[in-house]
Amino acid sequence: MDKLKITGGRPLEGEVRISGAKNAALPIMCAALLTAKPLVLTNVPLLRDVSTMGKLLAEMGVRVERSDDRVTLNATAIAEPTAAYELVKTMRASVLVLGPLLARCGRAKVSLPGGCAIGARPVDQHVKGLEAMGATIAVEHGYMHASARRLQGARIVMDMVTVTGTENLMMAAALAEGETLLENAAREPEVLDLARCLAAMGAKIEGAGSDAIRVVGVRSLGGAEHAVMPDRIETGTYLAAAAATGGKVRLSGTEPDSLDATLDKLRESGARIRVGESFIELESEERPNAVSVRTAPYPGFATDMQAQFMALATVARGTALITETIFENRFMHALELQRLGADIRLEGNTAIVTGVERLQGAKVMATDLRASAGLVIAGLVAEGDTVVDRIYHLDRGYEALETKLSALGARVVRVS
Ligand code: UD1
């Protein structure tokens, strides 16, 4: 199994280009199920989750063609509206096919995703919303069996903010009869990017990006061409890595407006930041100051940036409180960071991190995608060699990680 060997101690310096956002590409690929016409996507990142989604759609009869960053999806006919456990268990975002399949085919059979390393991840809000739109959903042998005549518009108030839940219901509503109001909707930029793609396909959507989304269903949707938005989490990860190592980087092809909370926290840590329309420059000479973060739905501080900021805190001046409010078990990286010499105390959903002058390289194990990113950052600042095991997690969400880090001067190699 592949491992990443990092020889730490060098500041990151140079420029890299940010890839398309994984969390926007996945729902947008599912939107292809809503139309018999081709959906052409550009700026699609080359990632394992994206190829998993491609496979899942191909199993249903969607023609998926890729060349470089361009993916063409053709769902002329859907042979089998089923998402099997074998693929769903490797990627929870697979549940995003449920709404579109139901809207287009009137039935769907989708495996329940089950738990994952960061905690229980139920889909009750997806189900509740679709039922409000007239679907019947029964769980049998680990599968959701959903059926509906034509979905009906409804007013749906979600119990909590859920990103993929909002996306699933927005896609279903696009083909429903009448008007759907989604309240307490997720405001994540990826929801807005999906709405833009759906609008280009002919959907009638207002308010995406706010907590109240109004969708007026149409009979059918057409094809479209859409460029996937840049990955704000990848951007934030390189920024945190540069801040932790005392580096100077320029990230191009990004969307600074989607990173307000992260940029504020980095400034608080002492980094100097300059932003243009599509680039961010960060410079940090000194050891960073400790900054506390509390995760929250967008526009709050992203849970997907929590592990990277914990890594930053391990070498900061002072003590930081890292509070996780979205997932109940998203501190697996804390124990691995301790193996590198970090001073971390866990109290419920808060990690109390007191910075040390230097971490020491060691063997560590990646537990989930963003936890792995935290370990990589720690490896970059640690003295000597850090070997991160199970990096298949990183391949799910970071395009060309070693290449990009090497371009920034890091000593990183993949070893088998
Ligand atoms: C998405 C992101 C993921 C990110 C997360 C939170 C994608 C593909 N993934 O995941 O990277 O970490 O948002 O920003 O976009 N919940 C329920 N019932 C539901 C749905 C969610 O209880 O039906 C709970 C979850 O357990 C969690 C919280 O709501 O505690 C937020 O989860 P949600 O926003 O749904 O996460 P995902 O959409 O799966």
Side-chain angles (χ1 to χ4, degrees), residues 348-364:
N349 67 343
T350 297
I352 303 155
V353 188
T354 302
V356 296
E357 193 94 29
R358 259 233 167 300
L359 298 175
Q360 290 138 28
K363 286 186 181 155
V364 289

Side-chain angles (χ1 to χ4, degrees), residues 196-218:
R196 286 204 184 106
C197 178
L198 292 169
M201 294 163 68
K204 295 198 164 52
I205 301 175
E206 277 169 25
S210 79
D211 62 1
I213 302 177
R214 180 170 167 266
V215 185
V216 178
V218 295

Side-chain angles (χ1 to χ4, degrees), residues 6 41 93 100 165 178 251 259 271 287 384 399:
I6 306 166
L41 305 176
L251 306 176
L259 278 134
R287 218 177 127 191
E399 183 174 57

Side-chain angles (χ1 to χ4, degrees), residues 22-27 49 53 91-96 118-128 158-167 186 188 190-191 232-233 296-298 301-305 324-328 330 369-370 396:
K22 168 178 95 76
N23 286 354
L26 298 176
D49 273 5
M53 185 59 86
M91 186 181 64
R92 207 192 112 88
S94 308
V95 74
L96 283 163
I118 62 176
R121 294 179 76 175
V123 291
D124 55 302
Q125 299 302 305
H126 305 233
V127 169
K128 179 182 122 173
M158 277 174 277
D159 295 351
M160 80 276 297
V161 176
T162 154
V163 180
T164 50
T166 302
E167 292 166 342
E188 266 67 3
E190 292 77 13
V191 174
R232 63 193 170 99
I233 306 300
Y298 191 85
F301 186 86
T303 173
D304 285 351
M305 282 303 302
E324 174 59 56
T325 73
I326 310 285
F327 294 110
E328 78 268 25
R330 208 173 194 181
L369 171 54
R370 305 306 170 184
R396 289 188 49 195

Side-chain angles (χ1 to χ4, degrees), residues 103-156:
R104 171 96 181 271
C105 311
R107 66 191 175 95
K109 180 181 163 195
V110 177
S111 169
L112 276 171
C116 72
I118 62 176
R121 294 179 76 175
V123 291
D124 55 302
Q125 299 302 305
H126 305 233
V127 169
K128 179 182 122 173
L130 292 169
E131 283 176 345
M133 297 171 79
T136 307
I137 302 180
V139 175
E140 277 165 33
H141 304 291
Y143 278 83
M144 292 180 276
H145 293 260
S147 61
R149 283 171 179 274
R150 188 173 175 203
L151 291 172
Q152 302 294 312
R155 176 165 173 253
I156 300 163

Side-chain angles (χ1 to χ4, degrees), residues 300-335:
F301 186 86
T303 173
D304 285 351
M305 282 303 302
Q306 182 255 102
Q308 299 88 317
F309 269 69
M310 191 184 293
L312 182 64
T314 62
V315 292
R317 240 187 268 269
T319 298
L321 302 184
I322 312 274
T323 305
E324 174 59 56
T325 73
I326 310 285
F327 294 110
E328 78 268 25
N329 184 25
R330 208 173 194 181
F331 278 153
M332 309 279 275
H333 43 282
L335 305 172

Side-chain angles (χ1 to χ4, degrees), residues 20-82:
K22 168 178 95 76
N23 286 354
L26 298 176
I28 290 172
M29 288 172 80
C30 294
L33 292 167
L34 293 166
T35 173
K37 299 278 162 50
L39 180 64
V40 180
L41 305 176
T42 55
N43 204 32
V44 181
L46 200 54
L47 296 171
R48 205 163 51 99
D49 273 5
V50 168
S51 52
T52 302
M53 185 59 86
K55 264 188 226 156
L56 188 73
L57 295 173
E59 280 188 0
M60 299 169 191
V62 180
R63 238 180 28 250
V64 184
E65 284 155 25
R66 172 158 202 147
S67 102
D68 300 324
D69 73 332
R70 190 183 179 88
V71 173
T72 304
L73 300 145
N74 225 309
T76 316
I78 295 168
E80 193 46 59
T82 298

